[in-house]
Amino acid sequence: MKSKIDLHIHTTCSDGSLSPREVIDEAVRLEVSCIAIADHDTVEAYHEELIQYAHEKGIKLIPAVEISTKIKKCGIHVLGYNIDVKNPTFLKELSTLKNARQVYLKQVAKKLEALGYQVDIDKLSKLETVTKAHIAKDIITKEQNRNQLEHDFGHLPNQGEFIEAIMNEGCPAYVEKKTVTPKEAAKMIRKAGGKVVLAHPVSYRYEDNLSPQEILEIIQEMQADGIESNYIYIDKNQQKIDESDFWNQFAQTHHLKTTIGSDFHCKDNLHPEIGLIQENIHLSEPEIHNMLEFLEK
């Protein structure tokens, strides 16, 4: 049987729909042998019970995190692998980022309410990590917001449409969030003993109009060990874009390691499932071996 791995999965500890335990069960069901839960700005998933459960189910679990960062032009996500999830300095730094998200929630909710939208601040504030995706989902799934959404969009928008039109930089409910730079995130990860990987570089081309050269400059500035080259991007028109070959060649040219990730949040019959099982990305056994060896040594 060919090995399958997935090094970028989200859970209910950030903005995913499955609990950490359910992610393990789904990996077992899909015959994915090695996974990394990479929640936004938190390693809450990595408690002893989950680590033991993964072991019992025969799932190799690589500790990971996805840190949201900011540069002048756009937001950049930085993945950290094989980190010490009990490192007190690292946990304190993540807690600071989490608190900044709560402040952000209150500020953006105020702007959204001024635009005529109802926001469930009490529910959202109870989440371990609050993201734009959480807030947008709360807005678009509320029946009370239906008329306002149809007035503003001419139809009921999906989550991505709402974020791009209302919440991103230059939009009416944009709020600048206190965050760190990619370089600072990389430093956090290294201090916790981890490897630094730039998440989904393909997305910065389509969402932020960054050129490969600009992306390379970010990689060099943070001294990344690798990039998440094997990745399926879904654009705002819900079209799948696979530039894996381009980014694998980019990595080879610039002497970077490569990883693979579904960026799984939920089952929606559009975004990749855990293990990218229905996608046309297939790693050889040597590629998988080299990838895991890089992350774990």
Side-chain angles (χ1 to χ4, degrees):
M1 185 192 306
K2 189 160 181 146
S3 299
K4 287 180 283 190
I5 67 173
D6 189 342
L7 303 174
H8 188 168
I9 300 171
H10 293 277
T11 75
T12 49
C13 292
S14 65
D15 56 349
S17 62
L18 301 183
S19 70
R21 193 180 180 101
E22 288 171 329
V23 163
I24 298 295
D25 291 339
E26 190 70 359
V28 171
R29 185 182 76 81
L30 298 173
E31 300 180 336
V32 179
S33 60
C34 175
I35 66 170
I37 291 171
D39 280 316
H40 293 284
D41 304 329
T42 180
V43 290
E44 183 195 3
Y46 290 97
H47 49 76
E48 292 300 326
E49 292 84 355
L50 183 80
I51 293 169
Q52 180 61 33
Y53 187 67
H55 178 73
E56 291 170 359
K57 292 292 185 177
I59 299 294
K60 186 179 186 69
L61 187 60
I62 297 177
V65 69
E66 184 175 26
I67 299 178
S68 302
T69 77
K70 182 80 173 176
I71 58 174
K72 182 179 288 187
K73 200 168 181 180
C74 61
I76 300 291
H77 289 178
V78 180
L79 292 160
Y81 289 102
N82 207 27
I83 46 180
D84 176 5
V85 297
K86 295 181 179 179
N87 182 290
T89 301
F90 186 64
L91 293 176
K92 184 178 180 181
E93 290 170 328
L94 289 181
S95 179
T96 299
L97 292 176
K98 175 191 170 184
N99 290 336
R101 285 182 179 273
Q102 293 296 327
V103 172
Y104 168 79
L105 168 62
K106 292 185 176 82
Q107 292 176 338
V108 78
K110 187 175 181 180
K111 287 197 171 188
L112 287 166
E113 287 168 352
L115 293 171
Y117 295 108
Q118 293 188 33
V119 187
D120 194 339
I121 299 177
D122 290 339
K123 181 186 78 173
L124 291 168
S125 65
K126 291 182 175 69
L127 297 173
E128 176 68 19
T129 304
V130 183
T131 66
K132 286 181 183 177
H134 285 114
I135 299 168
K137 183 178 180 181
D138 180 68
I139 294 286
I140 66 173
T141 55
K142 269 189 171 52
E143 182 62 31
Q144 302 97 305
N145 290 323
R146 185 183 184 96
N147 289 341
Q148 189 66 48
L149 288 167
E150 289 183 337
H151 174 270
D152 291 346
F153 289 85
H155 62 279
L156 291 177
N158 62 38
Q159 196 169 287
E161 282 181 283
F162 187 85
I163 291 171
E164 289 195 22
I166 303 293
M167 300 179 70
N168 279 350
E169 191 163 358
C171 299
Y174 172 73
V175 171
E176 185 173 0
K177 183 167 68 246
K178 177 177 170 55
T179 186
V180 293
T181 65
K183 184 177 181 179
E184 289 168 335
K187 186 177 180 181
M188 287 171 55
I189 290 164
R190 289 198 177 92
K191 283 194 297 184
K195 296 291 175 64
V196 178
V197 172
L198 177 69
H200 42 67
V202 59
S203 69
Y204 312 124
R205 291 185 76 175
Y206 288 90
E207 291 179 15
D208 306 294
N209 297 314
L210 294 188
S211 68
Q213 179 58 37
E214 288 174 310
I215 293 170
L216 177 62
E217 289 168 4
I218 293 169
I219 291 167
Q220 292 172 334
E221 172 71 13
M222 63 194 243
Q223 297 183 310
D225 300 299
I227 61 172
E228 189 178 35
S229 53
N230 299 284
Y231 185 93
I232 302 292
Y233 176 68
I234 311 297
D235 70 12
K236 62 183 178 182
N237 298 315
Q238 300 191 346
Q239 298 298 310
K240 287 187 176 184
I241 296 171
D242 181 0
E243 290 190 354
S244 299
D245 289 344
F246 174 88
W247 291 106
N248 281 317
Q249 183 59 53
F250 177 95
Q252 184 176 347
T253 300
H254 299 292
H255 310 291
L256 297 163
K257 300 295 187 179
T258 62
T259 65
I260 182 171
S262 65
D263 203 357
F264 176 82
H265 287 75
C266 65
K267 297 181 186 182
D268 61 2
N269 297 316
L270 175 62
H271 292 79
E273 291 194 46
I274 290 173
L276 296 99
I277 57 165
Q278 296 173 329
E279 310 301 333
N280 193 30
I281 295 179
H282 306 288
L283 301 181
S284 67
E285 293 295 334
E287 285 174 318
I288 291 173
H289 173 78
N290 291 338
M291 209 171 275
L292 297 182
E293 184 179 53
F294 145 62
L295 293 178
E296 295 184 296
K297 73 177 182 181

